[in-house]
Amino acid sequence: MNKIYSINGPVVKVKDTKDFSMLEMVYVGNKKFIGEVIGITDELTTIQVYESTSGLMPGEPVYSTGDPMSALLGPGIISNIFDGIERPLQKLAEISGAYIDDGTNVSSLDVDRKFDVTILTNVGDILKAGEIFASCPETPIIVHKSMLSPFIKSGEVIWVAENGKYTINDTIIKIKNEDGEIIELTLAQKWPIRTPRPCVERLPINRPLITGQRIIDTILPIAKGGTAAIPGGFGTGKTMTQHQLAKWCDADIIVYIGCGERGNEMTQVLEEFSELIDPKTNRPLTDRTVLIANTSNMPVAAREASIYTGITLAEYYRDMGYHIAIMADSTSRWAEALREISGRLEEMPAEEGFPAYLPSRLSEFYERAGYVKTLSEKEGSVTIIGAVSPQGADFSEPVTQNTKRFVRCFWALDKSLAYARHYPAINWNDSYSEYVDDLSDFYNENVNKDFMSVRQEISNILVQENTLMEIVKLMGTDVLPDDQKLLIEVARIIRVGFLQQNAYHKDDTYVPLEKQYLMMIVILKLYEKSKELVSLGVTMDTILETDVFDKVVKMKYDIPNDKPELFEEYITTINEAFEKLKANN
Amino acid sequence: MAIKYVGLSEINGPLVVLDKVKNIGFDEIAKIKLDNGGERLARVVQIDGERAVLQVFEGTKGLSLTNTEVKFEGKPMELPLSTEILGRIFNGAGKPIDGLGDIYADKSADINGKPLNPVSRVYPRNYINTGISSIDALTTLIRGQKLPIFSGSGLSHNKLAVQIVRQAKIAEESGQGFAIVFGAMGVKNDVADYFKRSFEETGVLQKVVMFLNLSNDPIIERTLTPRCALTAAEYLAFEHNMHILVILTDMTSYAEALREFSSSKGEIPGRKGYPGYLYSDLASLYERAGVIEGASGSVTQIPILTMPNDDITHPIPDLTGYITEGQIVLDRNLDATGIYPPVSVLPSLSRLMKDGIGEGYTREDHSAVSNQLFASYARVQDARALASVIGEEELAPNDKAFIKFGVLFEKYFLKQDFTDNRSIEETLDLGWALLSTLPITELDRVDEEHLKKYYDPSKAHDYIK
């Protein structure tokens, strides 16, 4: 029997044993806390414990399980809320009340719930790894597909159950593999959370994840299967941006990981998502959402695991042919959990006390995103959008810098924009998206053939404004010639009327690509016409006296999303007003 | 039968080491008896086989390797609780120090608390009217929120906290009234006294539970103070359905104490020498605010911290800001120009306010006013920066209007008397009066309807004399 030798916070050590393997899941103590082996030496085996070790004594037993830390994958995941090691929080609340007791072991998925199963294979068929053998509706909009675990060798189907109602523990199929072994299959399977699930191949990334947020879709687009980071100091709107994306992006399933964040925020997600109706499916957003909540006061080791649990769930649904978006809020908390545990292990710290393996762990995580051909010959994708909370809002700190190396979209949130309540506070000068080229064909073919060139013009204006602002900061706008004043005015319209977006406005919270495009067209038309007038010698003051500029700024509110034809009127108004000015001149 | 261990093997700062101990648990409490009859409390912080490291709450002064007897209690640190604690004063470790004797306990609770299950939380929505314009309008305090005050040495954070306590109005329709739990960590005697006197003067003393760890008290005790305070708060809120406002001051001293303890334990330091687990540790305190299902009470926290060198990026305010739901930042320049409360508007924020204001809570135009005030005041900063380079005379007319607005805003909106208790209507009307001094075209955060109803330059003169 292996016994606890030493205890220091979440780290427990066992002396003189060779029974454990690296990253094995173990049960620690009389209450059977879940733990994971994270270090083995001749003398000592080190275990991180996923629960509070308060009251644990040396001499209490440690049980080996022989399996790595795994997630249970099967129907019942969607709409659920789990902690960092996939324990169902709703169930825990029923058992232990408002506060989480330690040592409560419950099955991750409801074992009593019966699903309406359709068997998709016949006796005599050969079932290969990753192949789908049964399906059942999981929520009104998600059909769950049970696949042969990639760990199991392919074999011949020798028995199938009738279509009907089954729980996740009922055997529905039996196969016999080459070795003559008979394997019973259920709706669910297990998968080690730190191992990426295999696929046939990675496909090129060329479809956007449409979010309805103008600054993202138009200026800094993200692709399905891509990776993005949202860094920002506290109060700049990381969580708000992630909530908006989770609500509106066109992924089939959202995995929302609250990693070391606030409890009230998770409650808000729970509440809002069950009330909000997804316009595409007419069902509450919870029908397509999984929440993983390991708030900042929950055990730190489980916080470290929560990211892997989340991505494993996402990959599982990807393999069924769905498009998944993961919101990880926040990866900095996860990095800090790494640092905390590394400190307890007395490892040699690298930069800022973070362990030297921080970059490799980050890359392992972000590399699990992708657009793939699954083992069942379907297309699916996992998109990762990770929030980063840099210490002191300083982007040069190790987590932000290392994350930057592994993501292709960088949405930098800016304090001064947030202070001015310009949301989303994504700074267009500091941010970038490497997906622009990959996605330009999609935009040009599906929205408008000019989309990319129009977008470029808009960003050019912003770049020119940025240069001009350096002069303005020193001398004010009054000294500028009228054409530059005009540029600044148009840039203001782009900033306030286009980039700024109101999450609480019924139309502005989600804007279709078509409307985004037409808004840009109107702004550019305004610019073109005003430029003409300025070149004829009409002063900026005269141009601004017409209320056209104010009208254009407010078009995001005034034009409903389903009435794009109204943009024609704006063009006419601009033309008429400016013709009049020309005539007066 | 508990075993007594005679003698120690090592003493290092606040830590003592015992060898050959058996059957003790992590986090367990021990009593150390001294030869001269004194008794101290200690907690197990590390166990290696039969070797245990204990931290002594009252410090190790006078301890030697031979003059002690250690007895383990078999349980973590607990606080005796009953409604009798209202009106009482305790030391940082929860022992009564007002000479009124021990508490007749209704129950005892582990001071470390347990993590609250996110699904059992109720999202906080009810606002607390503090009567202070800058807070009510711009960073509304919500019941169940944790909203710290980021201050600096010498600023009026204590005065502001007292004013909030005095004026805070909590709707009486639910819960059994309102009480205050006050936790002082490493504050000066005068400060503790100031709070005590102010509670007395406002007649709330019978509704206050005080935990005092003054600056010359032992640092290990200091790390327990907020935990005792929050345990008391949770008990009153969730078992007796009271609305509890917890004031914790000064979180900086708390973090310093944690650093001192961590370094004497020989742990690997993180940023600026603070332990790597500072974030988790602070979270285990701040996250104990909230509203839970099945209880009508609430725990609202106002932790006060003084930013070392007024640096908001210092690890303590930085990590705090990432956990709490916003912050109220005080500004030295405003303070120097005689503006009280010196709330620095732009970096201040209340994350929960969006769902606790507007129709049904405050007034339908609240979010529009606050957004516009924020945006306009941000413009003021730009205009001021420009004016400092080219001079105010040279500014464009719009920028001049903003400069004027900035002065009025600070003088009439921010500045408020210590005894001035403004209703939310007054505050919002005042906001509109100030906004009405700006050209209507500059108000891009409010919609037509509100402008029509509230924008009125002539009214501005009534308010602003």
Side-chain angles (χ1 to χ4, degrees):
Chain A
M1 173 69 84
N2 292 300
K3 290 191 170 123
I4 298 177
Y5 173 71
S6 82
I7 307 163
N8 179 9
V11 173
V12 162
K13 289 181 181 169
V14 180
K15 215 175 173 179
D16 297 327
T17 175
K18 295 198 164 53
D19 295 348
F20 297 106
S21 55
M22 199 57 183
L23 298 182
E24 176 180 346
M25 184 180 121
V26 293
Y27 291 112
V28 179
N30 295 328
K31 283 184 175 170
K32 289 200 163 188
F33 295 157
I34 295 170
E36 185 177 10
V37 178
I38 53 170
I40 299 177
T41 63
D42 229 12
E43 203 185 343
L44 289 170
T45 301
T46 309
I47 296 163
Q48 63 174 348
V49 182
Y50 289 114
E51 290 181 69
S52 161
T53 50
S54 193
L56 209 61
M57 289 189 185
E60 285 190 39
V62 177
Y63 305 97
S64 164
T65 62
D67 289 328
M69 234 357 245
S70 299
L72 180 63
L73 303 170
I77 290 175
I78 308 286
S79 310
N80 219 328
I81 171 165
F82 301 103
D83 77 352
I85 46 172
E86 214 204 358
R87 291 188 303 173
L89 288 171
Q90 204 77 50
K91 208 74 188 192
L92 289 184
E94 284 164 27
I95 296 171
S96 63
Y99 293 95
I100 300 172
D101 267 335
D102 17 75
T104 331
N105 279 324
V106 281
S107 165
S108 298
L109 302 176
D110 190 342
V111 289
D112 298 322
R113 185 172 155 195
K114 290 201 166 183
F115 294 92
D116 211 349
V117 179
T118 312
I119 306 288
L120 300 172
T121 187
N122 298 310
V123 172
D125 288 355
I126 298 292
L127 208 55
K128 289 202 300 281
E131 209 169 317
I132 294 166
F133 58 78
S135 75
C136 61
E138 184 170 348
T139 73
I141 52 172
I142 301 290
V143 175
H144 179 274
K145 295 161 192 161
S146 296
M147 299 161 279
L148 186 65
S149 162
F151 280 140
I152 300 175
K153 276 191 207 157
S154 54
E156 189 189 338
V157 178
I158 54 167
W159 177 83
V160 298
E162 300 273 314
N163 289 347
K165 291 195 178 287
Y166 297 96
T167 70
I168 55 165
N169 286 336
D170 293 332
T171 302
I172 49 171
I173 281 181
K174 287 180 192 165
I175 61 169
K176 188 174 176 182
N177 65 18
E178 294 162 8
D179 308 335
E181 244 179 299
I182 292 177
I183 297 161
E184 299 185 345
L185 301 176
T186 62
L187 288 172
Q189 58 175 281
K190 281 198 158 197
W191 188 263
I193 59 170
R194 295 180 200 275
T195 312
R197 286 176 65 87
C199 59
V200 175
E201 59 173 340
R202 283 176 178 259
L203 299 173
I205 284 176
N206 52 23
R207 284 211 278 158
L209 182 78
I210 298 164
T211 65
Q213 311 304 306
R214 287 185 293 263
I215 184 156
I216 293 177
D217 286 350
T218 304
I219 310 288
L220 303 159
I222 175 150
K224 283 201 174 83
T227 48
I230 314 180
F234 56 84
T236 48
K238 289 183 298 294
T239 303
M240 193 58 213
T241 310
Q242 292 221 327
H243 282 194
Q244 277 301 95
L245 296 178
K247 280 177 200 165
W248 301 114
C249 79
D250 69 341
D252 301 316
I253 293 168
I254 306 292
V255 177
Y256 195 100
I257 311 172
C259 172
E261 286 289 308
R262 305 173 182 88
N264 280 333
E265 263 165 20
M266 295 318 294
T267 316
Q268 186 194 0
V269 174
L270 270 178
E271 240 182 60
E272 265 186 21
F273 282 29
S274 54
E275 282 162 15
L276 273 175
I277 303 295
D278 181 1
K280 291 180 283 288
T281 57
N282 271 326
R283 296 286 315 167
L285 286 169
T286 32
D287 278 358
R288 64 157 197 177
T289 310
V290 193
L291 284 176
I292 297 190
N294 212 89
T295 56
S296 54
N297 54 340
M298 284 156 83
V300 67
R303 190 196 306 165
E304 194 264 337
S306 64
I307 291 269
Y308 298 103
T309 305
I311 196 137
T312 306
L313 299 186
E315 283 176 341
Y316 179 61
Y317 282 91
R318 173 202 70 190
D319 289 348
M320 296 177 203
Y322 289 111
H323 296 286
I324 326 292
I326 295 187
M327 308 293 152
D329 187 12
S330 133
T331 56
S332 293
R333 302 294 156 242
W334 167 78
E336 271 164 23
L338 274 186
R339 174 168 73 182
E340 198 173 323
I341 293 158
S342 157
R344 301 267 188 194
L345 297 176
E346 295 174 358
E347 291 170 339
M348 181 78 80
E351 221 179 333
E352 302 257 8
F354 285 104
Y357 47 77
L358 173 71
S360 53
R361 293 285 171 88
L362 273 171
S363 66
E364 276 170 23
F365 170 63
Y366 281 108
E367 279 302 303
R368 285 173 78 169
Y371 199 108
V372 304
K373 187 164 159 198
T374 68
L375 295 179
S376 54
E377 306 282 318
K378 289 176 185 296
E379 281 185 15
S381 71
V382 173
T383 310
I384 299 180
I385 297 166
V388 184
S389 322
Q391 306 162 356
D394 169 16
F395 287 180
S396 66
E397 57 91 40
V399 183
T400 317
Q401 280 310 313
N402 284 313
T403 302
K404 242 179 158 171
R405 293 165 48 205
F406 309 119
V407 297
R408 295 183 60 201
C409 234
F410 191 74
W411 298 325
L413 298 181
D414 187 303
K415 219 173 203 164
S416 57
L417 289 175
Y419 283 179
R421 300 307 186 255
H422 172 119
Y423 292 123
I426 299 174
N427 183 316
W428 48 93
N429 295 315
D430 298 343
S431 308
Y432 58 79
S433 165
E434 292 176 13
Y435 296 112
V436 176
D437 289 342
D438 300 333
L439 298 175
S440 53
D441 287 346
F442 177 92
Y443 280 105
N444 288 342
E445 281 159 26
N446 292 283
V447 191
N448 193 295
K449 60 180 185 348
D450 296 332
F451 192 95
M452 277 297 147
S453 55
V454 168
R455 172 196 172 274
Q456 195 55 51
E457 273 180 68
I458 292 279
S459 24
N460 289 351
I461 295 174
L462 290 171
V463 172
Q464 288 171 35
E465 187 214 19
N466 194 31
T467 341
L468 272 182
M469 277 323 256
E470 279 162 25
I471 304 171
V472 171
K473 268 184 203 143
L474 288 177
M475 341 230 315
T477 42
D478 265 10
V479 295
L480 294 179
D482 269 350
D483 59 333
Q484 294 189 339
K485 270 190 200 160
L486 170 66
L487 184 101
I488 290 205
E489 202 52 42
V490 173
R492 189 183 75 88
I493 291 189
I494 296 175
R495 282 190 282 117
V496 180
F498 187 78
L499 299 180
Q500 200 182 94
Q501 198 166 345
N502 186 344
Y504 302 109
H505 188 277
K506 66 174 171 41
D507 281 315
D508 208 32
T509 186
Y510 173 88
V511 181
L513 289 180
E514 173 77 10
K515 183 175 168 187
Q516 297 187 19
Y517 170 73
L518 291 170
M519 284 175 78
M520 290 194 287
I521 292 287
V522 169
I523 294 171
L524 290 177
K525 187 83 188 168
L526 179 70
Y527 186 39
E528 179 198 315
K529 287 280 165 188
S530 314
K531 220 156 56 179
E532 206 180 302
L533 286 179
V534 167
S535 69
L536 288 173
V538 182
T539 62
M540 257 324 272
D541 292 339
T542 329
I543 297 177
L544 286 175
E545 266 163 30
T546 66
D547 55 355
V548 180
F549 276 72
D550 292 320
K551 201 172 151 115
V552 170
V553 165
K554 295 205 160 110
M555 68 184 165
K556 59 181 177 181
Y557 298 138
D558 296 340
I559 301 179
N561 286 344
D562 52 358
K563 293 221 169 66
E565 64 275 11
L566 289 181
F567 280 101
E568 282 301 318
E569 286 177 23
Y570 277 72
I571 303 267
T572 328
T573 318
I574 294 171
N575 282 337
E576 282 170 3
F578 286 6
E579 283 309 315
K580 221 195 269 167
L581 279 183
K582 217 192 241 171
N584 288 349
N585 196 32
Chain B
M1 177 54 213
I3 305 170
K4 281 182 191 164
Y5 295 90
V6 179
L8 306 167
S9 347
E10 198 180 316
I11 304 175
N12 174 14
L15 302 177
V16 297
V17 179
L18 264 81
D19 272 320
K20 303 222 165 56
V21 287
K22 282 195 180 107
N23 291 330
I24 58 159
F26 188 69
D27 243 5
E28 186 173 334
I29 287 293
K31 277 191 178 145
I32 303 181
K33 244 194 193 134
L34 269 75
D35 268 357
N36 59 15
E39 195 180 79
R40 296 185 194 179
L41 277 182
R43 184 171 71 115
V44 178
V45 291
Q46 192 174 334
I47 311 175
D48 286 305
E50 296 188 335
R51 185 170 187 270
V53 182
L54 278 68
Q55 57 172 357
V56 185
F57 298 154
E58 293 90 346
T60 46
K61 195 176 161 196
L63 257 57
S64 83
L65 295 182
T66 52
N67 68 351
T68 56
E69 243 175 43
V70 181
K71 206 175 103 193
F72 289 92
E73 298 279 292
K75 58 183 185 199
M77 170 97 184
E78 288 184 340
L79 185 72
L81 294 164
S82 86
T83 46
E84 280 175 36
I85 57 172
L86 285 167
R88 299 290 305 269
I89 303 175
F90 303 87
N91 73 2
K95 280 243 162 64
I97 49 168
D98 50 3
L100 298 175
D102 279 344
I103 296 291
Y104 183 71
D106 194 22
K107 68 172 276 189
S108 294
D110 180 354
I111 63 159
N112 294 310
K114 278 191 177 146
L116 198 51
N117 191 326
V119 302
S120 302
R121 281 183 188 267
V122 177
Y123 187 65
R125 281 185 196 279
N126 254 316
Y127 90 110
I128 296 176
N129 189 351
T130 64
I132 297 165
S133 292
S134 44
I135 296 177
D136 285 350
L138 304 173
T139 52
T140 319
L141 179 63
I142 305 287
R143 232 187 263 171
Q145 185 175 17
K146 37 197 180 294
L147 189 63
I149 299 177
F150 286 9
S151 183
S153 321
L155 294 181
S156 44
H157 43 268
N158 294 328
K159 192 173 163 190
L160 179 61
V162 167
Q163 191 176 2
I164 293 174
V165 166
R166 190 159 43 85
Q167 299 184 347
K169 269 202 291 271
I170 295 216
E172 290 296 331
E173 82 278 6
S174 65
Q176 311 268 318
F178 177 52
I180 296 151
V181 173
F182 178 77
M185 291 155 286
V187 299
K188 284 193 292 291
N189 205 358
D190 316 1
V191 174
D193 226 42
Y194 171 72
F195 275 100
K196 205 150 77 186
R197 231 172 335 110
S198 311
F199 293 150
E200 230 163 82
E201 277 160 19
T202 42
V204 291
L205 198 60
Q206 285 317 305
K207 287 264 176 193
V208 180
V209 191
M210 295 182 94
F211 293 87
L212 301 181
N213 169 280
L214 304 180
S215 49
N216 54 348
D217 287 338
I219 58 129
I220 298 297
E221 190 185 290
R222 192 166 303 157
T223 60
L224 302 177
T225 312
R227 296 191 161 77
C228 290
L230 289 163
T231 308
E234 282 172 352
Y235 170 77
L236 293 172
F238 302 139
E239 296 192 24
H240 292 280
N241 295 324
M242 297 178 83
H243 294 296
I244 306 295
L245 183 62
V246 184
I247 296 186
L248 299 171
T249 180
D250 173 341
M251 291 309 293
T252 309
S253 306
Y254 169 81
E256 302 283 354
L258 209 62
R259 176 166 71 177
E260 195 176 328
F261 154 67
S262 161
S263 88
S264 62
K265 211 176 144 193
E267 289 171 336
I268 292 174
R271 208 158 39 125
K272 289 212 169 158
Y274 291 96
Y277 51 79
L278 182 63
Y279 178 83
S280 303
D281 190 275
L282 289 174
S284 73
L285 302 177
Y286 296 140
E287 276 293 323
R288 289 172 80 175
V291 184
I292 62 171
E293 260 170 35
S296 52
S298 62
V299 176
T300 310
Q301 280 188 31
I302 302 189
I304 299 172
L305 60 88
T306 46
M307 299 180 276
N309 200 20
D310 291 352
D311 176 12
I312 200 169
T313 64
H314 184 278
I316 302 169
D318 189 41
L319 295 178
T320 297
Y322 278 124
I323 307 164
T324 54
E325 284 133 355
Q327 64 277 339
I328 297 171
V329 183
L330 303 189
D331 180 78
R332 202 169 289 279
N333 281 335
L334 285 175
D335 189 64
T337 48
I339 287 164
Y340 167 85
V343 175
S344 179
V345 168
L346 298 180
S348 297
L349 168 81
S350 165
R351 288 165 190 273
L352 300 182
M353 75 182 272
K354 61 185 186 303
D355 297 306
I357 61 169
E359 217 165 349
Y361 299 102
T362 55
R363 206 168 77 180
E364 90 288 354
D365 58 323
H366 189 155
S367 86
V369 177
S370 88
N371 276 336
Q372 187 61 58
L373 284 173
F374 270 118
S376 302
Y377 195 60
R379 274 289 300 273
V380 172
Q381 305 307 323
D382 292 345
R384 281 185 182 161
L386 188 57
S388 70
V389 179
I390 62 169
E392 213 176 308
E393 285 307 305
E394 301 295 316
L395 291 179
N398 272 356
D399 285 336
K400 276 187 187 153
F402 274 105
I403 295 269
K404 198 172 137 227
F405 166 79
V407 174
L408 294 171
F409 177 78
E410 285 162 8
K411 189 169 165 196
Y412 291 98
F413 194 87
L414 291 187
K415 192 173 176 181
Q416 191 170 349
D417 211 60
F418 182 57
T419 51
D420 187 2
N421 189 352
R422 294 185 194 152
S423 73
I424 189 77
E425 281 78 20
E426 270 177 83
T427 293
L428 294 179
D429 286 344
L430 183 58
W432 275 110
L434 288 162
L435 290 175
S436 299
T437 64
L438 290 171
I440 194 161
T441 46
E442 293 293 336
L443 306 183
D444 49 12
R445 305 299 168 93
V446 279
D447 55 32
E448 291 294 324
E449 219 172 288
H450 287 141
L451 279 180
K452 244 179 238 155
K453 195 166 165 193
Y454 296 104
Y455 182 82
D456 185 359
S458 67
K459 228 167 59 186
H461 296 288
D462 298 345
Y463 263 94
I464 298 154
K465 288 169 198 102

